[in-house]
Amino acid sequence: MPSQLPLRTLLVDDEPLALNRLRRLLKPYEATFEIVGEAANGLEGLKAVESLEPDLVFLDIEMPGLNGFEMLAKLPYLPIVVFATAYDAYAVRAFEENSIDYLLKPIEPERLEKTVERIRKSQAAPAGANPDLRHVLELLKPKKELHSISVKTGDRILLIPLSNIAYFEAEDKYVFLHTLDGQQFLTNHTITTLEDKLPDTFTRISRSTLLNTRHIREIQRHFNGKFVVVMQDKKATQLLTGSSFTDNLKNLMEI
């Protein structure tokens, strides 16, 4: 990536109106962006990147043929990428956490101005050396199908089916797996690792607790906007949501 502006810029979007709007919004920033090409889908975008070698791509995500992520995965190098998308909140959080900029559609001039300032200040990263974007792509890959968690007990290794797990709970440096029949097993995982490995039926409700939403018996309102989750396990365990994780449960259960 060159260290000087303007940046050779490619626009990729399958919606003609969105493409026209973005081109019009970028017009006042000709000192920052030199638009060298446009593409109407991921396949065209892939060919355009290979032939034009742009410094920066404004990229839609949901497109026919190849979506934005699939297109990026096939590139021989990664230019700077600014996502222009109406993609889901999980992706947006990933972009924020990894310092990759995004623009939610319809793009507003004020928000675009912030993107321009960020690019101007940073002068971007070298081409082909954007590990943050690679990390986001990994985060957004579908999780491998997982059916059980292995735990050690004495000289044996047990495979506990996910369907029999009520919740995981961290105590000091240890994380315990709790089954529906009331058993408890020490695991070799952290809560964060489990959160990444497990399917979406498991959700984090506090810094120390990750539960199986399929085994929730009821949810009770608590103080300060928190909730008590009563599980369907043998002990009818009550788990309290943490302040930073309450929204996880509310969004999932639509409460």
Side-chain angles (χ1 to χ4, degrees), residues 220-253:
Q220 304 169 357
R221 293 192 179 277
H222 195 64
F223 301 108
N224 300 322
K226 296 181 181 181
F227 293 88
V228 172
V229 181
V230 182
M231 303 302 293
Q232 292 177 342
D233 60 339
K234 183 177 181 180
K235 301 176 181 178
T237 304
Q238 297 187 9
L239 303 170
L240 182 64
T241 62
S243 301
S244 302
F245 296 90
T246 297
D247 285 346
N248 287 359
L249 186 67
K250 292 174 66 175
N251 293 336
L252 187 69
M253 308 304 292

Side-chain angles (χ1 to χ4, degrees), residues 22-242:
L22 179 57
R23 189 191 315 112
R24 186 173 66 253
L25 290 173
L26 291 175
K27 185 72 174 174
Y29 302 107
E30 291 179 339
T32 303
F33 308 107
E34 176 192 357
I35 299 177
V36 295
E38 298 178 3
N41 55 57
L43 288 171
E44 290 184 12
L46 179 61
K47 294 177 182 178
V49 171
E50 291 174 343
S51 62
L52 298 173
E53 297 185 351
D55 305 318
L56 181 145
V57 178
F58 282 88
L59 181 63
D60 187 21
I61 293 179
E62 299 180 39
M63 297 181 292
L66 289 178
N67 66 34
F69 298 130
E70 292 167 337
M71 182 194 115
L72 291 175
K74 293 179 178 294
L75 292 179
Y77 79 97
L78 283 175
I80 306 166
V81 176
V82 176
F83 292 103
T85 178
Y87 209 62
D88 62 69
Y90 171 74
V92 168
R93 287 198 300 271
F95 303 153
E96 289 176 329
E97 291 172 4
N98 291 274
S99 301
I100 295 172
D101 212 2
Y102 66 95
L103 297 164
L104 290 179
K105 293 180 180 179
I107 298 171
E108 298 296 335
E110 297 80 9
R111 181 62 182 84
L112 177 61
E113 186 175 354
K114 293 181 180 179
T115 298
V116 174
E117 286 304 311
R118 179 178 296 182
I119 292 172
R120 283 174 174 169
K121 288 178 180 179
S122 68
Q123 295 287 294
N130 196 334
D132 287 337
L133 181 53
R134 294 288 186 193
H135 181 55
V136 170
L137 295 179
E138 288 298 318
L139 286 176
L140 296 172
K141 283 183 180 178
K143 295 177 180 177
K144 294 181 180 179
E145 190 171 0
L146 190 68
H147 299 285
S148 61
I149 294 290
S150 60
V151 297
K152 291 182 180 179
T153 173
D155 295 329
R156 297 183 299 159
I157 297 178
L158 303 181
L159 297 178
I160 310 298
L162 298 188
S163 60
N164 191 35
I165 298 173
Y167 64 97
F168 296 88
E169 192 164 38
E171 297 179 16
D172 296 324
K173 297 181 180 180
Y174 304 101
V175 174
F176 293 93
L177 179 161
H178 296 264
T179 63
L180 291 174
D181 58 5
Q183 295 186 82
Q184 174 180 292
F185 298 96
L186 178 64
T187 77
N188 291 323
H189 304 288
T190 67
I191 287 289
T192 301
T193 300
L194 288 166
E195 188 177 19
D196 290 338
K197 287 168 63 75
L198 292 169
D200 293 339
T201 50
F202 286 81
T203 194
R204 186 106 169 247
I205 65 163
S206 71
R207 290 178 63 87
S208 61
T209 308
L210 180 69
L211 59 76
N212 189 341
T213 58
R214 290 183 175 175
H215 298 315
I216 294 176
R217 175 175 295 170
E218 65 178 88
I219 298 173
Q220 304 169 357
R221 293 192 179 277
H222 195 64
F223 301 108
N224 300 322
K226 296 181 181 181
F227 293 88
V228 172
V229 181
V230 182
M231 303 302 293
Q232 292 177 342
D233 60 339
K234 183 177 181 180
K235 301 176 181 178
T237 304
Q238 297 187 9
L239 303 170
L240 182 64
T241 62

